[in-house]
Amino acid sequence: MEKQIVKPSILPGFMELLPAEQISFNWMMDTIRKNYESFGFTPIDTPTIEKSEILLAKGGGETEKQIYRFSKGDTDMSLRFDLTVPLARYVAQHYSALNFPFRRYHIAKVFRGERNQKGRYREFYQCDIDIIGNNSLSIVNDAEIPSVIYATFKDLGFDNFVIRINNRKVLNGFFDSLGIADKGAVLRIIDKIDKIGVDNVKAELAELEVQSEAIEKIIEFISIKGKTDDTIETLKAMQIENESFLSALNELETVVNYIRKFQVPDTHFVVDLTIARGLDYYTGTVYETILSDYPSLGSVCSGGRYDNLAENYTKQSLPGVGISIGLTRLFYQLNEAKMIQMNTSATKSKALLIAFDGYMDYAIELAAKLRANHIICEVYFEEGKIRKKFGYADKQGIPYAISIGENEVETSSYTVKDMATGEQKNMNLEEMIKILC
Amino acid sequence: MEKQIVKPSILPGFMELLPAEQISFNWMMDTIRKNYESFGFTPIDTPTIEKSEILLAKGGGETEKQIYRFSKGDTDMSLRFDLTVPLARYVAQHYSALNFPFRRYHIAKVFRGERNQKGRYREFYQCDIDIIGNNSLSIVNDAEIPSVIYATFKDLGFDNFVIRINNRKVLNGFFDSLGIADKGAVLRIIDKIDKIGVDNVKAELAELEVQSEAIEKIIEFISIKGKTDDTIETLKAMQIENESFLSALNELETVVNYIRKFQVPDTHFVVDLTIARGLDYYTGTVYETILSDYPSLGSVCSGGRYDNLAENYTKQSLPGVGISIGLTRLFYQLNEAKMIQMNTSATKSKALLIAFDGYMDYAIELAAKLRANHIICEVYFEEGKIRKKFGYADKQGIPYAISIGENEVETSSYTVKDMATGEQKNMNLEEMIKILC
């Protein structure tokens, strides 16, 4: 009887990479991790599956529709859809064992059963940092976050990007000064300005029965553009006599001053009064990051300040500030746009060791010596023609092939072939280590 | 109205660590990864969720009961329960894009809804390597695997461990020579010898209607202990005239010879004829790894050779050899047995920078300089008494606290406190970098 074959495939909306791309992806993830760690963020790793009552404690909205929820026995469980809810649960649960401010990073997969569309994934990596205070958290933290973004994206190889910064309280205070009741609705409309344009924003605000004078002021306000210091001066000059506005403006100015202390150059951050970032979560500073060579990607790293992280799980007041990089989507977009120099090797091996008949022992020994010098390498163990062996090095993108035979063993000098140029040279161990390191 | 609080907790059978333990866990994972990579294994990352028809293609057994299976819309999907089935699907699916032998590592969480018991987890990390050949795969690969185990466990800080090696075909050939029909049943019984003892093994074999003469030979056979070379000599001396036995013995001897070439010392591996590792999967060489100081843990790294990886997904013949470390369980056991030197810091920060009033700018600047020298550090931004700031360094286990005030800025010399000894010293930047590196 013929064995039944199931056609090998994965579900739509899931990313799976071939080795060369995977190496690039992992390099990005490692680079993000290294930068997060250098600022003293500490790793946590929460369960992928949590109680549904925990993940859905906040309830409502898109989340409930998109979540992967299921039962096993009597247990109602779900896959996490972000890393913020698990962080809130973690901090509330382990409150007495943690020291505050609690600086954590978390890089892991999250799951959302979204409608399937190009570049949107149902399983994707988020790379988050957050700083959680106990009752209070200094505004200086809000200024450190852009310096982490700056260091990370620089290290990822980007030169041209801008971190857009705003403060939700500035907007709120301004709306208060105009006597606007439904600030959430106005924010929602403003948030769309890049997509729908000024005229549509005006129209939608009018529909909301915002007075035309107020609409003009709103448009004037969110049209303030230019250098960070000019923006702040313009805001001051508006002479808005609203206390929360003035204190927020002072906060924004403080953040800007400290960002400079953190050595983020003015070329890489700007105050942008149009940024609101969602509706009911962020309460102060907010961030977006735009790759200047490819603004259509939208924000590649976003976040902000929130007053109370874990109100669904504890009565403790836990203010925080954080950001997230959606790595899977970012990688897809960069790859599509050919914005990243994709690794072309299917392995990290620097050398393939090829033994002539009867010299496998020496190849194995040499590989151990190279590894002892931190050189990633592999030995070709299979039998076959010498062409096939070099062909494997070529197809895998291994930069050097080292032959080991009678001559090599007698002279302790090995034939090293540069696979890119085809050039061959005889080298002793020391010389090899030098070029392979 | 008072906000409803959901008690923060996770599901039973899931591991969640506090930061200090998490750092130790991640160190183990990174160490395993580094060693796997050094041998030229390349990373893959498959979806956590796959089609149920893919994951259950083999069907039957415990797997089907333990799997987390659910639907969203019309899609029947499941969480992976190991990394081998996804590897088989991956290799079959991407067959034409891969080069063989395909050397991959995969470190990721897998999910099994097992009965809840101490030290057993429903979500756990597996750390796998496999080498997959196209139609054939040299036996030398079977000898390389123990050298990866050896390098990895050494690097994890273990000195006393033994890799037990056997070849399933040796057992099979031996059973054939005794005319035993149901080899699987006999293997199952032999596999339990460490748990149930010789007498029970004999009794169970008798129940299976194995002839008493054959039972004696089986017991004699699996009682062969001692040095690897003696074991092989004893096997040869048994003069079993069965062709598959003799070729398997030759294979085992070849593997042993090569293992020595791979510089695994005889103190760290042994031929153990009692090892069978499961029933229908492995077909040749099999491995177990025992920590000699704590044999009751059982095997901490196991695997073997299989004839055909992906027969459920392709007609291609794909033999392979591989191993797996169940890191979550291993970490739990080592921790319980106090077998690992647990990291005691809740952060990787080497220094906490503490600014006196008005000197925050300088602290921020100094932190940037330290980070530029690859020193992980953080600044304490919160207001409060100086005692509280040093208290944070102490509780977090940060080794050094650096104070920055008027004196320090004027002299470019900083007060560095060794938090373990309480000793304080004035140092310039260079001196600080030296002790913090």
Side-chain angles (χ1 to χ4, degrees):
Chain A
M1 201 186 75
E2 188 124 313
K3 195 162 172 65
Q4 191 68 36
I5 301 284
V6 181
K7 188 176 175 289
S9 65
I10 59 173
L11 290 161
F14 288 75
M15 177 181 275
E16 180 166 271
L17 302 172
L18 285 170
E21 289 182 329
Q22 189 68 55
I23 289 170
S24 291
F25 188 94
N26 289 10
W27 175 83
M28 289 184 75
M29 193 152 63
D30 288 342
T31 301
I32 293 168
R33 177 165 85 135
K34 190 186 68 188
N35 278 279
Y36 286 179
E37 286 197 343
S38 75
F39 284 82
F41 290 90
T42 202
I44 71 168
D45 183 14
T46 65
T48 310
I49 310 175
E50 298 225 21
K51 294 176 182 176
S52 296
E53 63 166 13
I54 290 287
L55 296 186
L56 296 170
K58 195 179 183 184
E62 281 300 289
T63 306
E64 200 132 7
K65 270 180 265 166
Q66 294 181 350
I67 199 165
Y68 289 100
R69 182 176 181 174
F70 51 95
S71 297
K72 194 155 180 84
D74 296 335
T75 313
D76 178 359
M77 52 184 87
S78 299
L79 303 184
R80 62 179 168 220
F81 55 87
D82 72 5
L83 301 177
T84 306
V85 173
L87 172 65
R89 195 265 310 143
Y90 183 97
V91 175
Q93 184 176 340
H94 304 296
Y95 175 76
S96 59
L98 299 176
N99 301 315
F100 294 90
F102 178 54
R103 300 164 70 85
R104 87 88 176 78
Y105 78 88
H106 194 178
I107 297 177
K109 282 180 175 174
V110 305
F111 304 83
R112 292 182 195 171
E114 290 194 79
R115 198 169 59 80
N116 192 22
Q117 51 183 316
K118 207 164 178 272
R120 285 273 174 199
Y121 290 96
R122 290 170 172 163
E123 171 180 312
F124 55 97
Y125 279 95
Q126 285 197 328
C127 310
D128 284 22
I129 51 171
D130 287 271
I131 309 169
I132 312 299
N134 194 7
N135 285 312
S136 68
L137 185 71
S138 164
I139 190 72
V140 185
N141 292 283
D142 297 45
E144 188 189 38
I145 295 286
S147 75
V148 184
I149 301 176
Y150 179 71
T152 303
F153 278 84
K154 274 283 184 186
D155 215 15
L156 284 170
F158 296 102
D159 284 320
N160 301 320
F161 59 91
V162 176
I163 305 160
R164 295 179 183 168
I165 292 157
N166 195 13
N167 190 311
R168 284 283 297 263
K169 285 185 280 189
V170 170
L171 277 172
N172 281 337
F174 173 68
F175 292 155
D176 280 343
S177 78
L178 295 178
I180 287 170
D182 191 351
K183 285 177 264 188
V186 173
L187 274 178
R188 250 186 300 263
I189 295 168
I190 293 177
D191 223 14
K192 296 190 284 184
I193 196 161
D194 278 353
K195 283 187 201 149
I196 65 174
V198 172
D199 289 344
N200 285 315
V201 165
K202 279 185 182 177
E204 290 196 19
L205 287 173
E207 265 175 54
L208 211 69
E209 300 190 356
V210 178
Q211 300 296 310
S212 62
E213 200 185 332
I215 292 179
E216 289 309 318
K217 279 200 174 167
I218 290 171
I219 298 296
E220 183 193 351
F221 181 88
I222 62 174
S223 303
I224 300 173
K225 292 254 184 270
K227 289 190 178 165
T228 293
D229 293 335
D230 296 344
T231 299
I232 286 171
E233 285 315 309
T234 308
L235 285 172
K236 282 182 180 168
M238 284 176 87
Q239 305 219 331
I240 296 164
E241 294 303 331
N242 175 292
E243 211 169 300
S244 69
F245 174 83
L246 293 173
S247 106
L249 183 53
N250 183 44
E251 203 174 282
L252 181 60
E253 197 175 4
T254 305
V255 170
V256 164
N257 289 339
Y258 271 113
I259 287 176
R260 290 182 175 134
K261 302 295 178 193
F262 279 102
Q263 298 174 25
V264 181
D266 271 64
T267 45
H268 284 72
F269 79 95
V270 69
V271 168
D272 184 332
L273 300 171
T274 63
I275 293 174
R277 299 294 322 156
L279 302 163
D280 48 2
Y281 188 62
Y282 295 116
T283 51
T285 312
V286 285
Y287 319 96
E288 289 190 348
T289 311
I290 302 296
L291 301 180
S292 312
D293 299 330
Y294 199 4
S296 63
L297 291 192
S299 176
V300 295
C301 175
S302 313
R305 157 79 75 147
Y306 39 87
D307 276 344
N308 207 349
L309 173 71
E311 58 182 356
N312 295 307
Y313 314 111
T314 178
K315 289 180 181 173
Q316 303 293 342
S317 164
L318 300 167
V321 62
I323 46 160
S324 181
I325 300 174
L327 182 58
T328 302
R329 184 167 159 75
L330 176 61
F331 182 84
Y332 168 83
Q333 291 172 317
L334 295 174
N335 202 3
E336 282 286 293
K338 308 206 186 317
M339 287 274 290
I340 35 172
Q341 181 75 45
M342 192 61 71
N343 160 63
T344 53
S345 297
T347 172
K348 287 187 171 178
S349 286
K350 286 287 186 64
L352 180 72
L353 280 64
I354 297 172
F356 287 97
D357 277 353
Y359 289 87
M360 186 62 83
D361 297 1
Y362 297 95
I364 291 169
E365 206 181 298
L366 180 60
K369 285 180 187 161
L370 293 174
R371 283 185 199 117
N373 284 282
H374 309 291
I375 293 160
I376 297 179
C377 64
E378 58 188 279
V379 182
Y380 195 88
F381 298 130
E382 309 310 302
E383 290 181 5
K385 292 196 176 132
I386 198 84
R387 253 180 79 94
K388 192 182 167 194
K389 297 175 185 180
F390 281 97
Y392 171 82
D394 193 42
K395 281 188 281 181
Q396 284 289 80
I398 301 174
Y400 294 96
I402 303 171
S403 311
I404 297 103
E406 192 180 351
N407 251 333
E408 284 78 5
V409 170
E410 272 177 14
T411 60
S412 288
S413 170
Y414 307 88
T415 312
V416 179
K417 180 175 181 179
D418 181 326
M419 295 302 296
T421 64
E423 202 187 347
Q424 300 208 46
K425 266 190 190 166
N426 282 313
M427 295 185 196
N428 64 24
L429 182 62
E430 263 178 41
E431 290 166 326
M432 272 195 297
I433 290 168
K434 211 173 279 174
I435 67 153
L436 293 172
C437 261
Chain B
M1 201 185 75
E2 187 121 317
K3 196 162 171 65
Q4 191 69 35
I5 301 283
V6 182
K7 187 175 177 290
S9 65
I10 58 173
L11 290 162
F14 288 75
M15 178 181 273
E16 180 166 89
L17 302 172
L18 286 168
E21 288 182 328
Q22 189 68 55
I23 290 170
S24 291
F25 187 94
N26 288 10
W27 175 82
M28 288 184 75
M29 193 152 62
D30 289 342
T31 301
I32 293 168
R33 177 164 85 135
K34 191 186 67 188
N35 277 278
Y36 286 179
E37 287 197 342
S38 75
F39 283 82
F41 290 90
T42 203
I44 71 167
D45 183 14
T46 64
T48 310
I49 309 175
E50 298 225 23
K51 294 176 182 176
S52 297
E53 62 165 14
I54 291 287
L55 295 186
L56 295 169
K58 194 177 181 185
E62 281 300 289
T63 307
E64 201 134 4
K65 272 180 264 167
Q66 295 182 349
I67 200 165
Y68 289 100
R69 182 176 182 174
F70 51 95
S71 297
K72 195 155 180 84
D74 296 335
T75 312
D76 178 0
M77 52 183 87
S78 298
L79 304 184
R80 62 177 169 224
F81 56 87
D82 72 5
L83 301 178
T84 306
V85 174
L87 171 65
R89 194 265 311 142
Y90 183 97
V91 175
Q93 184 175 339
H94 305 295
Y95 175 76
S96 59
L98 299 176
N99 300 315
F100 294 90
F102 178 55
R103 301 164 68 87
R104 87 86 176 79
Y105 78 88
H106 194 178
I107 298 177
K109 283 179 175 174
V110 304
F111 303 83
R112 292 182 196 171
E114 288 194 81
R115 199 169 58 80
N116 191 23
Q117 51 181 316
K118 204 164 181 276
R120 284 275 173 197
Y121 290 95
R122 290 170 173 163
E123 172 181 310
F124 56 98
Y125 280 95
Q126 285 196 329
C127 310
D128 284 21
I129 51 171
D130 286 272
I131 309 169
I132 312 299
N134 194 7
N135 285 313
S136 68
L137 185 71
S138 164
I139 191 71
V140 185
N141 292 282
D142 297 45
E144 188 189 39
I145 295 287
S147 74
V148 183
I149 301 175
Y150 179 72
T152 304
F153 278 84
K154 274 282 183 186
D155 214 15
L156 285 170
F158 297 102
D159 284 322
N160 301 320
F161 59 90
V162 175
I163 305 161
R164 294 181 183 166
I165 292 158
N166 194 13
N167 191 310
R168 283 283 296 265
K169 286 185 279 189
V170 170
L171 277 172
N172 281 337
F174 172 67
F175 292 155
D176 280 344
S177 78
L178 296 178
I180 288 170
D182 190 351
K183 284 178 264 190
V186 173
L187 275 177
R188 251 186 300 264
I189 296 169
I190 292 176
D191 224 16
K192 295 190 285 184
I193 195 161
D194 279 354
K195 284 188 201 148
I196 65 174
V198 172
D199 289 343
N200 285 315
V201 165
K202 280 185 182 178
E204 290 197 20
L205 289 173
E207 264 175 55
L208 211 69
E209 301 191 356
V210 178
Q211 300 297 311
S212 63
E213 200 183 333
I215 292 178
E216 288 310 316
K217 278 199 173 168
I218 290 170
I219 298 297
E220 183 193 349
F221 181 88
I222 63 174
S223 303
I224 300 172
K225 292 254 185 272
K227 290 189 178 165
T228 294
D229 292 335
D230 296 344
T231 299
I232 287 171
E233 285 315 309
T234 307
L235 286 173
K236 282 181 180 170
M238 285 177 85
Q239 306 219 330
I240 297 165
E241 294 303 330
N242 175 291
E243 210 169 302
S244 69
F245 174 83
L246 292 173
S247 105
L249 182 54
N250 182 44
E251 202 174 283
L252 182 60
E253 198 176 2
T254 305
V255 170
V256 164
N257 289 338
Y258 271 114
I259 288 176
R260 290 184 175 132
K261 302 295 177 193
F262 279 103
Q263 298 174 25
V264 180
D266 270 66
T267 45
H268 284 72
F269 79 95
V270 68
V271 168
D272 183 331
L273 300 171
T274 64
I275 293 174
R277 298 298 317 157
L279 302 165
D280 48 2
Y281 189 61
Y282 296 116
T283 51
T285 311
V286 286
Y287 318 96
E288 289 191 347
T289 310
I290 303 295
L291 301 179
S292 312
D293 299 330
Y294 200 2
S296 62
L297 292 192
S299 176
V300 296
C301 175
S302 313
R305 156 78 75 149
Y306 38 88
D307 275 345
N308 206 349
L309 173 71
E311 58 182 355
N312 296 306
Y313 314 111
T314 178
K315 289 180 181 174
Q316 303 293 341
S317 164
L318 300 167
V321 62
I323 46 161
S324 181
I325 300 174
L327 184 57
T328 302
R329 183 167 161 75
L330 176 61
F331 182 84
Y332 167 82
Q333 290 172 317
L334 294 173
N335 203 2
E336 282 286 293
K338 306 204 186 321
M339 286 274 290
I340 35 172
Q341 181 76 44
M342 192 61 70
N343 160 63
T344 53
S345 297
T347 172
K348 287 187 171 178
S349 286
K350 285 289 186 64
L352 181 72
L353 280 63
I354 296 172
F356 286 98
D357 277 355
Y359 289 87
M360 186 62 83
D361 296 2
Y362 297 94
I364 291 168
E365 206 181 298
L366 181 60
K369 285 180 187 162
L370 292 176
R371 282 185 200 118
N373 285 283
H374 309 290
I375 292 161
I376 297 179
C377 64
E378 58 188 279
V379 183
Y380 194 88
F381 299 129
E382 310 309 303
E383 290 180 3
K385 295 200 174 127
I386 199 83
R387 253 179 79 94
K388 192 183 168 193
K389 297 175 184 180
F390 281 97
Y392 171 81
D394 193 42
K395 281 189 281 182
Q396 285 286 83
I398 300 174
Y400 294 95
I402 302 171
S403 311
I404 297 103
E406 192 181 352
N407 251 334
E408 284 78 4
V409 169
E410 274 177 12
T411 60
S412 287
S413 169
Y414 306 88
T415 312
V416 179
K417 182 174 180 181
D418 182 326
M419 294 302 296
T421 64
E423 203 187 348
Q424 300 208 47
K425 266 190 190 166
N426 281 313
M427 295 186 196
N428 63 24
L429 182 62
E430 264 178 41
E431 290 166 326
M432 271 195 296
I433 290 168
K434 211 173 281 173
I435 67 154
L436 293 172
C437 263

